[in-house]
C-alpha cells in the first residue's frame, strides 16, 4: 500500500503542477468537460444503447438476488446472471446504484425497484424498465454517464501528459485539444459502458511504460502491468496493451549497456505478469464469486467467434476502417492522422523517433492489427486509437512549425476549426433528438387504454414513453392497435443490403407507409430520408462514405448510438377501420 500511496501522491502533484504551469491546460479540460457532458441526460429514462442497458441491469439483478437470498449462493447467482462478464464495469455501475438504493430506502420506495431475480429477455427487458419508476432510471443512468464524462476528462489530461513527456507542452496542449474535438471520442463519453474507463487505464499504462523506458524504475513497469490489467478487466479488446508492455521492455533493454542482462529479467516479468493477471481476475466479479463458466465462455467463446460474426454487411476491411474513422474523426482530422502516422513512421525508419513515439506507433499498429481479421467493427472499437492519433498529429504539426512556421500554423488553425465545427454540430444534436421528441409527443397523446405497436427487439431502439402499453412480438400483436411506431431501424428493411432483410418484411413496411393497412401517418420526427429509404453507403464504395466524414452521425449496423440523422421516427394511427389479416412479420 505504501508504493500505491506514493504513486497517487506523485500523480496528484504532477496534475497540480501542470495546472499551475500551463495556463492553457485548464481551458482545454473545461472545454472537454463541456463537450463531453453536454446534454448527457439524452434519452433518459431510456438508454442510449443495449450495452448501456445490460450493464445497468447487472448490479441491479445482483442486488435483488442478495435481498431475496442473503447468502453466498444468492450473491453468486445474482452476479453470474449478467449477459456477459463485462468485469470492472459491474463495479462502476454498482457504484452508481448505491445512491439510488439509498434514495429509495429513505423515501420508502424500495419495493418499487425490487422484483424477480430472473427477469425475462423479451423486448430487451422492457417490463423491468417500464415497471420501475422513471426517476430511478434517470438518476441511475445519469450518474453512470457522469462517471464516463469524468473518465473522458481524465483521458484528455493523460493525452496531454503523454504528448508533453514525448515532446513538449505545446505538443501536449494540441494533442489534448484535438482529442477533445474528436467526435467519436465525445459520443462514447455520452453513454455508460466500459469503453471510456478502459481507455483511461490504457493511457495510464502507456504513460508509465514511457517512463519505464526512460528511467528503468521497476515500479513504473509494475504499475503499467497492473493498470493494463485493469483496462483489460473493463474491455478485453484492450489486449494490445500486452504488446505495448513487451515493446517497452525491449526498448529499455536496447538502451542499456548490457542488453542481454536487461532483457532477461524473470523477476520483473513474472511480478508484472502476475499483477496484470490479478487485476483482470479481480476485475471480473464472476471469478470472485466462483462462477467461472461465464468468464470461460466469454474468453473462449465470444472472443474467438466475434471477429467472424456478421453484425453488418460483408465488405473489405479497409471499408470498415474508413467508415469508422471518417465518422469518428471527420475528414480533416482523418487526413491529418494519416499524415501524422506517416511522419512518425518516417522518423522511426530514420531512427529519429524517441521511445515514446515508438510506443504510440506500436499502440496504433496493435489495435489496427487486432481488427483486421474481424468481419466488421464500429467506432467504439477504434476509440483507443483516437488519443494516440491525436498525439501523432500534434507531434507532426509542432515539428513542422519549426521548419515551415506559416504552413504549420495554417494547417493547425484549419484543423482545429474544422474539427471543432464537426464535433460541435454533432454534440449539439444531443439537444435535438427526434426519438426524445417522439416519446414526449406520445406521452402527451396516447391514452391509458391505447396500445403502441413496435417491431424492435430492443426498446431503446424505439421512442416508447415510460409507462405506455406496448406490443412487440408475434402472437401478442392486437388486431388493430391505436398507434404503430416505425423508427430508422424499421426503415432499413427498405434497404436491399440490410443483413436481416426479407421480402415479406420489406413489403409490409412499405405497405404501412403507403396506407395499405388502415393506418395513416400522423406525425414524423427528424429529417425524412428520400422515399423513407435510409441512404447508407454500399459496402465497398469509398465515395459513398465521404458524407460520413462531413455530417456527424453514427450509423453502424450494430449497437452504437444512433444520433440525430438516424433517429427519424414515424407515428401511424388507426383510421378507425380494422384489418385482422394485417399480420406483422416480426
Amino acid at each position: 500500500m505504501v508504493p500505491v500511496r506514493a504513486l497517487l501522491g506523485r500523480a496528484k502533484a504532477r496534475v497540480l503542477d501542470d495546472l499551475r504551469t500551463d495556463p492553457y491546460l485548464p481551458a482545454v479540460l473545461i472545454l472537454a468537460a463541456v463537450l463531453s457532458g453536454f446534454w448527457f441526460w439524452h434519452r433518459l429514462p431510456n438508454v442510449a444503447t443495449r450495452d448501456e442497458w445490460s450493464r445497468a441491469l447487472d448490479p441491479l439483478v445482483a442486488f435483488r438476488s442478495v435481498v431475496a437470498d442473503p447468502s453466498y449462493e444468492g450473491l453468486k447467482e445474482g452476479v453470474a446472471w449478467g449477459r456477459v462478464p463485462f468485469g470492472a464495469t459491474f463495479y462502476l455501475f454498482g457504484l452508481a446504484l448505491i445512491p439510488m438504493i439509498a434514495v429509495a430506502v429513505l423515501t420508502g420506495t424500495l419495493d418499487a425497484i425490487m422484483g424477480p431475480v430472473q427477469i425475462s429477455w423479451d423486448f430487451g427487458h422492457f417490463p423491468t424498465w417500464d415497471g420501475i419508476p422513471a426517476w430511478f432510471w434517470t438518476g441511475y443512468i445519469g450518474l453512470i454517464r457522469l462517471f464516463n464524462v469524468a473518465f473522458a476528462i481524465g483521458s484528455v489530461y493523460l493525452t496531454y501528459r503523454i504528448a508533453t513527456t514525448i515532446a513538449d507542452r505545446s505538443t501536449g496542449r494540441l494533442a489534448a485539444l484535438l482529442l477533445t474535438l474528436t467526435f467519436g471520442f465525445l459520443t462514447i463519453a455520452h453513454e455508460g459502458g466500459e469503453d471510456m474507463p478502459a481507455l483511461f487505464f490504457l493511457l495510464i499504462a502507456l504513460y508509465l511504460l514511457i517512463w519505464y523506458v526512460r528511467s528503468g524504475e521497476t515500479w513504473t513497469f509494475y504499475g503499467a502491468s497492473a493498470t493494463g490489467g485493469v483496462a483489460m478487466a473493463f474491455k478485453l479488446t484492450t489486449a494490445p496493451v500486452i504488446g505495448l508492455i513487451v515493446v517497452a521492455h525491449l526498448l529499455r533493454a536496447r538502451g542499456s549497456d548490457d542488453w542481454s542482462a536487461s532483457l532477461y529479467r524473470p523477476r520483473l516479468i513474472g511480478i508484472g505478469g502476475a499483477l496484470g493477471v490479478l487485476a483482470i481476475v479481480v476485475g471480473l466479479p464472476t471469478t470472485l464469486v466462483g462462477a467461472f463458466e461465464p468468464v470461460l465462455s466469454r474468453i473462449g467463446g465470444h472472443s474467438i467467434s466475434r471477429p467472424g460474426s456478421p453484425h453488418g454487411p460483408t465488405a473489405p476491411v479497409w471499408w470498415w476502417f474508413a467508415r469508422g474513422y471518417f465518422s469518428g474523426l471527420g475528414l480533416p482530422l482523418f487526413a491529418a492522422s494519416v499524415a501524422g502516422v506517416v511522419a512518425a513512421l518516417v522518423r522511426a525508419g530514420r531512427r529519429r523517433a524517441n521511445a515514446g513515439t515508438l510506443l504510440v506507433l506500436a499502440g496504433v499498429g496493435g489495435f489496427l492489427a487486432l481488427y483486421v481479421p474481424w468481419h466488421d467493427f464500429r467506432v467504439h472499437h477504434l476509440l483507443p486509437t483516437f488519443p494516440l492519433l491525436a498525439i501523432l498529429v500534434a507531434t507532426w504539426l509542432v515539428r513542422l512549425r519549426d521548419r515551415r512556421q506559416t504552413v504549420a500554423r495554417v494547417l493547425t488553425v484549419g484543423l482545429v476549426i474544422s474539427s471543432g465545427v464537426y464535433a460541435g454540430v454533432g454534440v449539439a444534436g444531443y439537444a435535438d433528438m427526434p426519438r426524445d421528441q417522439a416519446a414526449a409527443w406520445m406521452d402527451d397523446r396516447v391514452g391509458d387504454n391505447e396500445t403502441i405497436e413496435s417491431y424492435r427487439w430492443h426498446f431503446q431502439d424505439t421512442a416508447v414513453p415510460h409507462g405506455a402499453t406496448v406490443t412487440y412480438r408475434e402472437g401478442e400483436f392486437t388486431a388493430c392497435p391505436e398507434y404503430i411506431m416505425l423508427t430508422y431501424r424499421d426503415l432499413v428493411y427498405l434497404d436491399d443490403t440490410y443483413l436481416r432483410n426479407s421480402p415479406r418484411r420489406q413489403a409490409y413496411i412499405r405497405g404501412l407507409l403507403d396506407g395499405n393497412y388502415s393506418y395513416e401517418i400522423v406525425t414524423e420526427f427528424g429529417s425524412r430520408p428520400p422515399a423513407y429509404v435510409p441512404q447508407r453507403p454500399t459496402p465497398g464504395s469509398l465515395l459513398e462514405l465521404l458524407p460520413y466524414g462531413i455530417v456527424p452521425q453514427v450509423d453502424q449496423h450494430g449497437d452504437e448510438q444512433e444520433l440525430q440523422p438516424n433517429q427519424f421516427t414515424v407515428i401511424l394511427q388507426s383510421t378507425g377501420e380494422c384489418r385482422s389479416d394485417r399480420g406483422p412479420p416480426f
Side-chain angles (χ1 to χ4, degrees):
M1 293 303 297
V2 174
V4 172
R5 285 197 296 269
L7 177 61
L8 293 177
R10 292 180 64 170
K12 179 181 178 181
R14 170 58 68 187
V15 172
L16 293 177
D17 179 66
D18 284 336
L19 291 173
R20 286 192 298 263
T21 305
D22 194 330
Y24 298 101
L25 178 59
V28 173
L29 296 180
I30 291 172
L31 179 62
V34 171
L35 292 179
S36 299
F38 179 77
W39 226 266
F40 71 90
W41 57 89
H42 69 102
R43 303 244 54 214
L44 295 179
N46 207 325
V47 292
T49 66
R50 64 199 63 175
D51 281 354
E52 183 178 60
W53 174 237
S54 65
R55 311 305 185 266
L57 282 181
D58 286 349
L60 177 62
V61 170
F63 174 74
R64 285 181 171 185
S65 181
V66 171
V67 172
D69 179 13
S71 66
Y72 169 74
E73 288 301 322
L75 176 63
K76 180 178 179 179
E77 179 183 355
V79 172
W81 174 89
R83 180 166 71 94
V84 280
F86 265 103
T89 314
F90 181 96
Y91 306 123
L92 189 63
F93 279 62
L95 185 62
L97 179 64
I98 292 173
M100 302 311 300
I101 297 294
V103 171
V105 171
L106 293 174
T107 57
T109 58
L110 183 61
D111 290 344
I113 63 175
M114 299 306 294
V117 175
Q118 299 299 332
I119 60 179
S120 170
W121 287 90
D122 291 339
F123 197 25
H125 312 292
F126 173 78
T128 301
W129 176 74
D130 199 50
I132 294 178
W135 65 263
F136 175 84
W137 297 121
T138 299
Y140 181 30
I141 305 297
L143 279 174
I144 291 168
R145 290 182 185 171
L146 285 177
F147 290 165
N148 250 24
V149 170
F151 280 115
I153 298 170
S155 296
V156 169
Y157 171 74
L158 286 168
T159 301
Y160 167 87
R161 181 98 297 278
I162 292 169
T164 299
T165 303
I166 292 175
D168 51 33
R169 290 195 186 272
S170 295
T171 306
R173 286 194 295 267
L174 182 56
L177 179 59
L178 291 177
L179 179 62
T180 298
L181 300 180
T182 299
F183 178 58
F185 172 79
L186 297 174
T187 61
I188 305 304
H190 277 78
E191 67 169 279
E194 62 274 3
D195 295 281
M196 196 61 75
L199 174 65
F200 176 78
F201 287 102
L202 175 69
L203 292 176
I204 293 179
L206 175 59
Y207 177 64
L208 291 174
L209 288 174
I210 292 172
W211 272 108
Y212 169 71
V213 175
R214 288 191 172 191
S215 67
E217 294 180 277
T218 56
W219 71 266
T220 56
F221 185 87
Y222 295 151
S225 300
T227 52
V230 173
M232 288 186 62
F234 272 105
K235 194 173 182 68
L236 292 176
T237 51
T238 56
V241 70
I242 299 174
L244 288 179
I245 294 173
V246 172
V247 171
H249 181 62
L250 294 175
L251 289 173
R252 176 63 191 173
R254 187 190 66 173
S256 64
D257 295 333
D258 187 354
W259 68 269
S260 59
S262 297
L263 188 63
Y264 182 69
R265 298 183 63 183
R267 176 181 172 84
L268 178 77
I269 297 172
I271 294 178
L275 289 172
V277 171
L278 179 63
I280 296 174
V281 170
V282 173
L284 299 176
T286 46
T287 61
L288 294 185
V289 297
F292 299 106
E293 183 179 350
V295 179
L296 296 176
S297 175
R298 173 66 181 174
I299 297 176
H302 184 273
S303 297
I304 295 176
S305 64
R306 172 58 184 92
S309 300
H311 290 259
T314 300
V317 68
W318 65 260
W319 186 84
W320 284 102
F321 275 118
R323 181 184 177 87
Y325 279 121
F326 283 7
S327 175
L329 301 177
L331 289 181
L333 187 53
F334 171 76
S337 296
V338 173
V341 170
V342 170
L345 288 173
V346 169
R347 293 200 308 276
R350 296 174 178 174
R351 297 188 177 183
R352 295 179 181 176
N354 58 30
T357 300
L358 293 177
L359 281 170
V360 171
L361 275 174
V364 174
F367 281 101
L368 295 185
L370 175 67
Y371 296 122
V372 164
W374 286 41
H375 180 278
D376 53 74
F377 43 85
R378 299 180 291 281
V379 169
H380 71 87
H381 292 112
L382 302 176
L383 174 67
T385 65
F386 292 163
L388 306 182
L389 292 174
I391 292 170
L392 295 180
V393 171
T395 304
W396 166 59
L397 288 173
V398 172
R399 289 175 62 87
L400 181 63
R401 187 182 62 189
D402 295 335
R403 303 192 309 272
R404 299 183 179 180
Q405 187 177 63
T406 302
V407 173
R409 286 183 175 178
V410 170
L411 288 176
T412 302
V413 171
L415 183 60
V416 169
I417 292 176
S418 60
S419 298
V421 170
Y422 183 78
V425 171
V427 169
Y430 282 104
D432 185 25
M433 300 290 250
R435 285 186 189 165
D436 285 342
Q437 297 163 6
W441 183 89
M442 300 202 77
D443 195 32
D444 293 336
R445 183 79 171 263
V446 179
D448 293 337
N449 59 345
E450 293 179 324
T451 300
I452 304 170
E453 187 169 280
S454 172
Y455 307 125
R456 303 311 310 155
W457 190 61
H458 291 277
F459 69 88
Q460 64 267 22
D461 295 337
T462 71
V464 172
H466 192 274
T469 301
V470 184
T471 57
Y472 50 86
R473 66 178 180 181
E474 187 176 4
E476 295 185 356
F477 293 133
T478 57
C480 296
E482 185 65 23
Y483 294 95
I484 295 177
M485 175 186 297
L486 298 179
T487 67
Y488 174 85
R489 286 182 179 259
D490 297 304
L491 298 181
V492 294
Y493 286 109
L494 303 177
D495 181 357
D496 293 329
T497 67
Y498 181 45
L499 181 67
R500 297 174 179 85
N501 210 343
S502 73
R504 187 181 171 202
R505 290 179 174 181
Q506 187 177 87
Y508 175 77
I509 296 296
R510 176 55 68 188
L512 276 177
L513 296 171
D514 292 342
N516 296 339
Y517 296 105
S518 301
Y519 282 85
E520 63 181 7
I521 297 174
V522 291
T523 186
E524 299 176 355
F525 298 91
S527 301
R528 180 198 301 177
Y532 293 101
V533 181
Q535 302 300 295
R536 303 196 300 176
T538 302
S541 173
L542 180 62
L543 290 179
E544 292 182 2
L545 284 177
L546 293 180
Y548 278 68
I550 300 173
V551 179
Q553 57 188 300
V554 177
D555 173 27
Q556 298 296 323
H557 299 285
D559 60 356
E560 200 83 57
Q561 296 175 59
E562 290 180 335
L563 303 185
Q564 189 180 28
N566 301 323
Q567 283 200 6
F568 178 68
T569 304
V570 180
I571 308 298
L572 301 97
Q573 187 172 14
S574 173
T575 60
E577 303 175 10
C578 185
R579 285 185 52 177
S580 58
D581 63 341
R582 185 168 53 91
F586 298 96

